[in-house]
């Protein structure tokens, strides 16, 4: 749900958003999760996803992709020629703090997925998680600098998250070197993903789709390349599972979003978007200028 929230920011009606999330999280997530973690058919197929690069992150990413496609871009995001215009965030230090909190929280997310206090396994997962995060940030920063000739802090931050999402599928199977490679590639994928969404005229204010969907797909496939049972067959099982989950999520998200759109509508009015949803939807100002 929080994955989708970032992608739809600044233009969705709060009630419509809450209803979409309630249905999507209540139905789609548990069904997809049961296919693997409930010993369902993906588990029988041999699919492996340690802590949810696909089952958590890409499920949210697919949902976000469909909702923003049906919702449309924020006013002023694309000019008359379709060129993307950067709409800067209101508080970069707060965003950076959020990324650091996520980095810390991921130790519980991945470390807890060991499902025991086994010191060897838990230690390995914590180390691979941290290395992938660091490599993701560095990979995104350097690649972004190559493309755009500046060290964009927002690309670094999303690169960290891309590295974290990427390692999540195989954090218990990787060594330090593999973790660094997976994280660095995850960071590069995030930078490319942001550019791809701009090209497709899709507006994702926080980069949720490049981070959770694109890096999630990469992390899932990386198990077939670097994992304990790495082989062509394992890679194809991972790939097929990504496709099956993607189809189901796209179908579910489309159905849910169109249903909510027909009942409540999706977008706030232009006037409300201009004023800001803090005022229009919540009745208070989030930011005060001196």
């Amino acid at each position: 749900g929080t994955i989708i929230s970032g992608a739809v920011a600044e233009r969705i009606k709060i009630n419509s958003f809450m209803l979409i999330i309630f249905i999507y999280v209540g139905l789609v997530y548990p069904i997809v999760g049961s296919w693997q973690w409930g010993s369902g058919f993906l588990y029988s197929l041999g699919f492996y996803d340690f802590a949810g690069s696909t089952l958590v992150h890409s499920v949210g990413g697919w949902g976000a992709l469909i909702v923003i496609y049906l919702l449309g871009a924020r006013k002023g995001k694309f000019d008359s020629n379709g060129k993307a215009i950067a709409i800067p965030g209101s508080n970069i230090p707060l965003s950076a703090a959020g990324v650091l909190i996520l980095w810390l929280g991921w130790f519980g997310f991945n470390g807890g997925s060991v499902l025991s206090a086994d010191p060897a396994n838990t230690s390995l997962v914590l180390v691979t998680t941290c290395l992938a995060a660091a490599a993701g940030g560095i990979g995104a920063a350097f690649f972004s600098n190559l493309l755009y000739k500046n060290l964009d802090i927002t690309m670094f931050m999303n690169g960290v998250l891309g590295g974290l999402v990427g390692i999540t599928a195989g954090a218990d199977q990787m060594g330090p070197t593999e973790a660094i490679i997976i994280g660095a590639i995850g960071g590069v994928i995030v930078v490319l993903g942001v550019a791809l969404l701009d090209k497709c005229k899709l507006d994702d204010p926080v980069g949720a789709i490049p981070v959770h969907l694109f890096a999630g797909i990469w992390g899932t496939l990386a198990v077939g390349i670097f994992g304990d049972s790495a082989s062509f067959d394992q890679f194809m099982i991972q790939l097929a599972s990504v496709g099956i989950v993607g189809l189901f999520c796209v179908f579910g998200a489309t159905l849910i979003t169109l249903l909510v759109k027909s009942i409540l509508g999706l977008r706030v009015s232009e006037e409300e978007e201009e004023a800001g949803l803090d005022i229009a939807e919540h009745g208070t100002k989030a930011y005060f200028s001196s």
Side-chain angles (χ1 to χ4, degrees), residues 47-290:
F47 176 57
Y48 193 83
D49 189 357
F50 170 64
S53 284
T54 284
L55 301 175
V56 175
H57 297 285
S58 79
V59 171
W62 287 117
L65 183 64
I66 294 304
V67 180
I68 69 163
Y69 174 74
L70 294 171
L71 181 62
R74 287 169 294 172
K75 198 177 166 192
K77 174 61 185 173
F78 298 100
D79 65 18
S80 54
N81 300 318
K83 188 176 183 298
I85 297 164
I87 301 176
S90 60
N91 194 322
I92 296 296
L94 205 56
S95 299
V99 169
L100 294 174
I101 292 165
L102 273 168
W103 193 333
L104 178 65
W106 230 281
F107 293 131
F109 184 74
N110 280 2
S113 294
V114 175
L115 303 181
S116 75
D118 179 72
N121 283 348
T122 307
S123 301
L124 174 68
V125 167
L126 297 180
V127 168
T128 56
T129 298
C130 197
L131 287 174
I138 292 166
F142 274 101
F143 189 66
S144 174
N145 191 37
L146 274 178
L147 291 184
Y148 307 117
K149 304 294 179 281
N150 64 49
L151 286 167
D152 186 340
I153 184 67
T154 64
M155 287 296 190
F156 171 78
M157 294 190 297
N158 271 347
V160 168
L161 299 181
L164 286 164
V165 170
I167 197 62
T168 293
D172 62 331
Q173 295 193 0
M174 305 304 168
T177 308
E178 290 86 359
I180 291 166
I181 293 166
I182 290 166
I185 293 172
V188 169
I189 284 170
V190 167
V191 176
L192 292 171
V194 170
L196 176 64
L197 288 187
D198 283 346
K199 281 268 190 297
C200 297
K201 298 186 183 57
L202 292 168
D203 183 14
D204 176 359
V206 301
I209 292 161
V211 166
H212 296 281
L213 177 56
F214 300 159
I217 290 170
W218 156 241
T220 306
L221 298 179
V223 173
I225 302 169
F226 301 106
D228 291 343
S229 54
S231 64
F232 178 74
D233 286 350
Q234 184 64 43
F235 181 84
M236 293 312 291
I237 289 166
Q238 299 295 109
L239 183 62
S241 301
V242 164
I244 292 163
V245 169
L247 279 172
F248 182 76
C249 291
V250 165
F251 176 75
T254 304
L255 212 61
I256 292 162
T257 309
L258 289 176
L259 175 70
V260 171
K261 186 178 183 180
S262 68
I263 299 167
L264 297 174
L266 290 180
R267 280 189 82 115
V268 295
S269 68
E270 278 200 28
E271 294 75 25
E272 288 171 321
E273 189 177 342
E274 197 75 49
L277 302 198
D278 49 349
I279 296 161
E281 295 277 81
H282 304 285
T284 187
K285 259 191 171 185
Y287 305 99
F288 292 91
S289 52
S290 53

